[in-house]
Amino acid sequence: MRTTSIARQDLLDTREYRGDLAFGAEHPVRAARRGTVTWLPGPGARVGRGDPLYRVNGLPSVLFYGSTPLYRRLGTPGQEGRDVQVVHDNLRALGFGATTGSVLTPATASALRCWQHQVGLPETGELGPADVVVRPDAVRVSAVAAVRGDGTAADLMSLTSTDQEVLVRIGAGQVGAIRRGAAVGLTLGDGSEAAARVRGISADLRQVPQVTVAVRPDEPISVPGPVRVRFTVETRPNVLAVSLAALIPLDEGGYAVRTRDGRMLGVRTGLFALGMVEISGAGLREGLHVLTS
């Protein structure tokens, strides 16, 4: 005679779906400097502030952080604008002087010459759109379209954010209680577990009623392959629960459980989750032993 005991616990109803590791939208890059491609990073490379993104004619185009791209040549004291602010912010962050503000000064030229010496650009104290590539943050090289020796008339590469995300495509009717910021569990390709949170939910109008749930891992994932994503869609805290194997269907409908002394106790069922069921009814209590099939 096998038995189990009624427990008091939190019941979680979960749904598991396949997800694909991604890095956000791709953005193509074309060289601002005309000539011959002499160096490119490899696919998957991470490029940060101050790193060369590519080289043309042996000269680097360096990544700067900011929201305004360089659209003119900077070198005349008194030039003013948001692009000047971007240059000052990056030179200061890279350790070249304490230049600030949105107005070009002689100190800017001095800081530029020191920086140019380090990165291998002509030490002119001036800066043009071909010398830097401005992006909001670090980038990841998702694909490389050119090779050394190519001209610069076509795209060189594609970039994405460095932030990993797992994309899960599910039917709109299955979204249920999935909410932005909710904690989720990940099972990686090697069977290991990881934690993540829902970053956002978006609908693809070309594939209605399908939606895409974007999940951001708490820690970078280095394991290749598909990911299994577990969402908690319903929670019942601090309820009485028992193994499904203890439920006895009644001829008149509903269910009961049988105690070790043979008594039948009717139960009302609630949430079913992970082989357990929420129950309530007269005579039921935590720790009560009931028979299982």
Side-chain angles (χ1 to χ4, degrees), residues 91-141:
L91 289 175
R92 190 170 64 255
L94 292 168
F96 294 91
T99 48
T100 60
S102 58
V103 179
L104 206 68
T105 68
T108 309
S110 177
L112 276 173
R113 281 190 287 269
C114 292
W115 172 77
Q116 289 167 332
H117 175 76
Q118 184 186 74
V119 299
L121 284 168
E123 298 170 38
T124 62
E126 299 182 351
L127 196 67
D131 298 325
V132 297
V133 177
V134 180
R135 290 290 186 271
D137 208 334
V139 296
R140 171 183 172 272
V141 179

Side-chain angles (χ1 to χ4, degrees), residues 12-25:
L12 307 178
D13 184 17
T14 62
R15 298 286 186 273
E16 186 173 271
Y17 302 94
R18 175 194 164 113
D20 296 304
L21 191 61
F23 290 87

Side-chain angles (χ1 to χ4, degrees), residues 41-42 44-49 51 65 137-141 162:
R46 183 189 185 281
V47 182
R49 188 201 313 259
D51 295 333
Y65 293 172
D137 208 334
V139 296
R140 171 183 172 272
V141 179
T162 59

Side-chain angles (χ1 to χ4, degrees), residues 27-59:
H27 302 280
V29 172
R30 184 168 293 187
R33 179 177 285 117
R34 296 303 172 215
T36 300
V37 176
T38 53
W39 178 84
L40 290 166
R46 183 189 185 281
V47 182
R49 188 201 313 259
D51 295 333
L53 187 59
Y54 58 84
R55 292 179 183 270
V56 171
N57 299 336
L59 298 176

Side-chain angles (χ1 to χ4, degrees), residues 39-285:
W39 178 84
L40 290 166
R46 183 189 185 281
V47 182
R49 188 201 313 259
D51 295 333
L53 187 59
Y54 58 84
R55 292 179 183 270
V56 171
N57 299 336
L59 298 176
S61 289
V62 178
L63 184 67
F64 272 12
Y65 293 172
S67 57
T68 302
L70 262 65
Y71 55 89
R72 56 180 173 167
R73 190 157 194 86
L74 298 177
T76 304
Q79 285 180 292
E80 183 176 5
R82 293 181 179 177
D83 52 345
V84 177
Q85 181 75 64
V86 168
V87 173
H88 284 170
D89 290 346
N90 281 272
L91 289 175
R92 190 170 64 255
L94 292 168
F96 294 91
T99 48
T100 60
S102 58
V103 179
L104 206 68
T105 68
T108 309
S110 177
L112 276 173
R113 281 190 287 269
C114 292
W115 172 77
Q116 289 167 332
H117 175 76
Q118 184 186 74
V119 299
L121 284 168
E123 298 170 38
T124 62
E126 299 182 351
L127 196 67
D131 298 325
V132 297
V133 177
V134 180
R135 290 290 186 271
D137 208 334
V139 296
R140 171 183 172 272
V141 179
S142 57
V144 177
V147 297
R148 294 182 185 184
D150 282 353
T152 55
D155 293 342
L156 301 182
M157 67 187 80
S158 295
L159 304 177
T160 69
S161 165
T162 59
D163 293 331
Q164 287 183 324
E165 59 185 10
V166 178
L167 301 181
V168 185
R169 296 172 179 84
I170 62 178
Q174 297 174 292
V175 174
I178 298 173
R179 296 289 182 267
R180 182 170 183 169
V184 300
L186 306 178
T187 303
L188 309 184
D190 62 356
S192 61
E193 300 289 323
R197 289 191 176 274
V198 176
R199 185 183 64 81
I201 303 172
S202 60
D204 186 342
L205 298 180
R206 298 165 299 177
Q207 297 180 339
V208 170
Q210 188 178 73
V211 300
T212 299
V213 181
V215 172
R216 179 163 294 172
D218 291 353
E219 300 290 341
I221 294 174
S222 58
V223 179
V227 178
R228 302 298 299 179
V229 184
R230 294 184 307 282
F231 298 97
T232 299
V233 296
E234 188 173 359
T235 303
R236 295 292 176 84
N238 197 35
V239 297
L240 291 178
V242 74
S243 168
L244 288 174
L247 288 186
I248 301 171
L250 301 176
D251 292 339
E252 62 272 25
Y255 298 93
V257 293
R258 189 188 303 275
T259 65
R260 286 194 293 190
D261 59 9
R263 290 179 298 131
M264 295 282 283
L265 301 177
V267 301
R268 293 184 297 275
T269 58
L271 179 66
F272 289 76
L274 300 176
M276 301 290 286
V277 57
E278 175 190 359
I279 59 172
S280 60
L284 302 177
R285 58 177 172 80

